[in-house]
Each structure stands twice: as structure tokens, then as C-alpha cells.
Amino acid sequence: MRYTIVFALLLLSCPGFGQQFLTGKILKQDSKEFLVSVSIENKTQRKHDLSDERGTYRIQSMPGDVLIFSHVGYRADTIVVDTTMLAGDFPVYMEPRAQTLRAVQVGSLS
């Protein structure tokens, strides 16, 4: 009987075992402006998520996982998760990507 109870407790605890989440806010570099709908990809576990309207993100990850943060108009940022990042909120600062456009000559129509 005692073994049955121990076995049942082990089975109930297994689904949540090992699941950890990296959480935090995504902000524009050198600013307190948060970024909405930033794509977060866990390349190791093949999981995806988006930051919400307050720049908050949450993605399942383990130490050693490779995460890529990307957003239109910003440089993609790649990080490798370690245990200290999982201990609390981990802020991500994204750098705007400057784009140079070709010169256009505007003339009058005759």
C-alpha cells in the first residue's frame, strides 16, 4: 500500500517537473519604451511566443537553450539561457536597426 501511494505521487508530479519559463520585459535600447509583438523563438525546444501589449514575455526554456528575439526595425538578439536568468525577470533590450534607402530624384512632369 505504501508503495502505491509513493508511485501515485511520483506520477502526479511528473508533468510539471522540469518545466521552467524565462520571463521579463522587452524594451527599446536606451529607452524605457517597451516593444509589442516581439517574436521569441526557442531554437532548442522549437517553441515560439510573442511579447504582449506591455512588452512582457514568457517562454518555456531550460539552461543551455538558445533564444532569438526579433522584431521589424530592430536587430535580432540571440541569447543562451543560464540558471541566473531563470531565477527572476530577465529584461531584453533591443537595438533599432538603421536602414539606408536609395536616393530618389524627383522632377517635374511636362
Side-chain angles (χ1 to χ4, degrees):
M1 178 71 175
R2 189 172 92 192
Y3 294 113
T4 307
I5 293 172
V6 171
F7 183 70
L9 289 173
L10 285 173
L11 284 178
L12 291 174
S13 66
C14 285
F17 182 73
Q19 288 187 359
Q20 297 178 356
F21 291 88
L22 183 65
T23 60
K25 287 203 176 270
I26 303 173
L27 305 153
K28 182 178 178 182
Q29 188 174 10
D30 299 329
S31 171
K32 293 187 181 197
E33 179 184 344
F34 49 79
L35 298 175
V36 178
S37 297
V38 174
S39 173
I40 305 115
E41 178 184 5
N42 185 328
K43 294 286 280 185
T44 309
Q45 296 187 24
R46 296 184 181 163
K47 299 204 181 272
H48 301 271
D49 205 353
L50 292 173
S51 63
D52 66 12
E53 65 274 356
R54 294 177 308 237
T56 304
Y57 72 94
R58 180 177 187 256
I59 189 161
Q60 188 174 343
S61 56
M62 298 287 292
D65 284 0
V66 176
L67 302 182
I68 300 172
F69 294 81
S70 59
H71 189 56
V72 175
Y74 291 84
R75 292 187 192 275
D77 193 8
T78 303
I79 63 169
V80 178
V81 178
D82 66 29
T83 53
T84 59
M85 294 175 181
L86 295 168
D89 283 351
F90 181 76
V92 174
Y93 296 92
M94 297 192 71
E95 180 183 351
R97 179 178 54 204
Q99 294 181 332
T100 306
L101 301 175
R102 292 184 310 157
V104 176
Q105 187 173 14
V106 179
S108 61
L109 297 174
S110 49

